[in-house]
Structures are given as C-alpha cells and as structure tokens.
C-alpha cells in the first residue's frame, strides 16, 4: 500500500509541473499563431494548386493533340499491304511446291511404266505363267506343267506344252573356243 501511495504522489507532482505551464492565455496564443500560419499557407496554396492544375491541363492538351487516329490508320494500311505481299509470296511458293511435286510424280509414273513388265511386253517379250498365275522361268518346269498361260502385250493365250525335250543350245550357250598357245 505504501508503494502505491508513493506512485500516486509522484504522478500527481508530474501532472502539477506539466499543468503549471498550461494556462488558458498561453493556449489561446498558440491557437492564434497556428491559425495565422494555416491562413498564410492556405493563401499560398491556392495559387500553387491553380498553377499546377493549369500546367497539367496544358500537358494533357499537348498529349491529346498527338492522339489522333491517323497513325493507327497508317499502321493498319501498312499491315494490310504487308499481308497482301506475304499472301502473294505464299501463293507463289505453294504453286512452286505443287509444280515440283507434280513433275516428280510424273517422272516417277514414267519410271514405273518403263520398269513395269507391261512395257517389256510391248517391246516383244511375253510372260509365261502356270495355271495358278505364278511365273514359269525354266524350260524344265514348263515341260512338266499340263497348262500354260502366255501373256503378250495385247492378250493372254492358254497353251499345252509339248513333251519336254532337251533344250537346244544357242550360240550363247556354246563353249567358247580357246585361243591356244602363242608360243
């Protein structure tokens, strides 16, 4: 209890010291001085704010003068012209690619016709097949089959082979003569 009493007394003394310098006349003087300062600042503030607003309005006016649709229209016209040029280039490139592919396809088709067996038939050759449609490539096999189909350039003919005989020798099968000794 004694410590509480001492604490209260100390605080009362501090309040008395602080309150002693606070007189109503002094406070009124401080208020008057502060009010005068605020009035001076207010008087200066209005022209400053007006000048600032005028400067910003002027800057905004200069910017809005530059804001026209013409640069955007010019840009769109250029982009349209560039797009048309790119379209023409694309169509030309596509035509070249298509022409190259068509030429290549035509060349491959000609090669196919040249290498195909039908072109060989047109040159005077024939294809001999057995009854199942498989090609017959030797005389011995042809002699052993009861039925053969021979395909020419214009038609197929079914034939029966004659009994297998010994194949005749052609000049290309004859043995080559030897040169003999030169010494």
């Amino acid at each position: 209890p004694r410590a509480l009493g001492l604490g209260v007394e100390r605080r009362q003394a501090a309040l008395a010291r602080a309150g002693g310098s606070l007189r109503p006349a002094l406070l009124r003087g401080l208020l008057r001085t502060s009010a005068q300062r605020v009035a001076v600042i207010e008087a200066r503030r209005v022209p400053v704010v007006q000048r600032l607003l005028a400067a910003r309005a002027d800057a905004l006016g200069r910017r809005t003068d530059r804001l026209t649709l013409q640069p955007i229209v010019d840009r769109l016209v250029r982009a349209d012209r560039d797009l048309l040029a790119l379209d023409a280039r694309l169509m030309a490139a596509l035509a070249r690619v298509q022409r190259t592919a068509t030429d290549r396809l035509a060349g491959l088709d000609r090669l196919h016709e040249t290498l195909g067996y039908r072109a060989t038939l047109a040159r005077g050759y024939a294809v001999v097949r057995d009854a199942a449609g498989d090609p017959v490539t030797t005389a011995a096999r042809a002699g052993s089959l009861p039925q053969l189909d021979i395909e020419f350039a214009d038609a197929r003919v079914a034939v029966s082979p004659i009994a297998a005989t010994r194949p005749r020798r052609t000049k290309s099968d004859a043995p080559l003569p030897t040169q003999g000794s030169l010494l």
Side-chain angles (χ1 to χ4, degrees):
R2 191 176 157 149
L4 284 176
L6 282 176
V8 168
E9 285 176 17
R10 262 190 264 142
R11 286 192 180 84
Q12 283 176 345
L15 182 62
R17 277 192 308 268
S21 62
L22 294 176
R23 284 173 268 139
L26 179 66
L27 290 176
R28 278 188 215 106
L30 286 173
L31 280 175
R32 242 182 281 121
T33 307
S34 295
Q36 288 171 354
R37 255 193 266 150
V38 166
V40 168
I41 291 173
E42 182 68 24
R44 277 192 259 158
R45 183 186 62 85
V46 170
V48 169
V49 169
Q50 286 175 348
R51 279 195 314 265
L52 183 63
L53 284 176
R56 288 198 176 166
D58 189 37
L60 183 62
R62 283 193 308 268
R63 286 187 181 145
T64 57
D65 289 345
R66 288 185 284 165
L67 291 177
T68 64
L69 288 178
Q70 193 57 42
I72 296 171
V73 170
D74 292 343
R75 187 174 169 193
L76 286 174
V77 168
R78 278 193 312 272
D80 189 45
R81 189 176 54 238
D82 292 346
L83 183 63
L84 289 174
L86 286 174
D87 183 52
R89 287 177 55 199
L90 178 65
M91 295 309 280
L94 182 62
R96 278 192 309 272
V97 167
Q98 188 177 13
R99 190 172 42 252
T100 302
T102 302
D103 292 346
R104 185 163 186 249
L105 183 62
L108 289 173
D109 188 46
R110 284 191 305 272
L111 182 64
H112 177 261
E113 287 297 320
T114 302
L115 296 177
Y117 81 99
R118 294 203 186 274
T120 306
L121 294 177
R123 290 194 303 264
Y125 291 89
V127 177
V128 179
R129 300 179 190 272
D130 61 13
D134 296 328
V136 177
T137 57
T138 62
R141 182 153 179 252
S144 67
L145 296 171
Q147 180 76 26
L148 295 174
D149 281 339
I150 302 176
E151 182 180 357
F152 296 97
D154 60 345
R156 285 187 173 192
V157 177
V159 294
S160 296
I162 302 175
T165 59
R166 188 167 183 217
R168 289 183 278 157
R169 292 188 100 171
T170 61
K171 276 190 173 183
S172 63
D173 293 339
L176 295 175
T178 60
Q179 182 172 352
S181 174
L182 293 175
L183 297 175

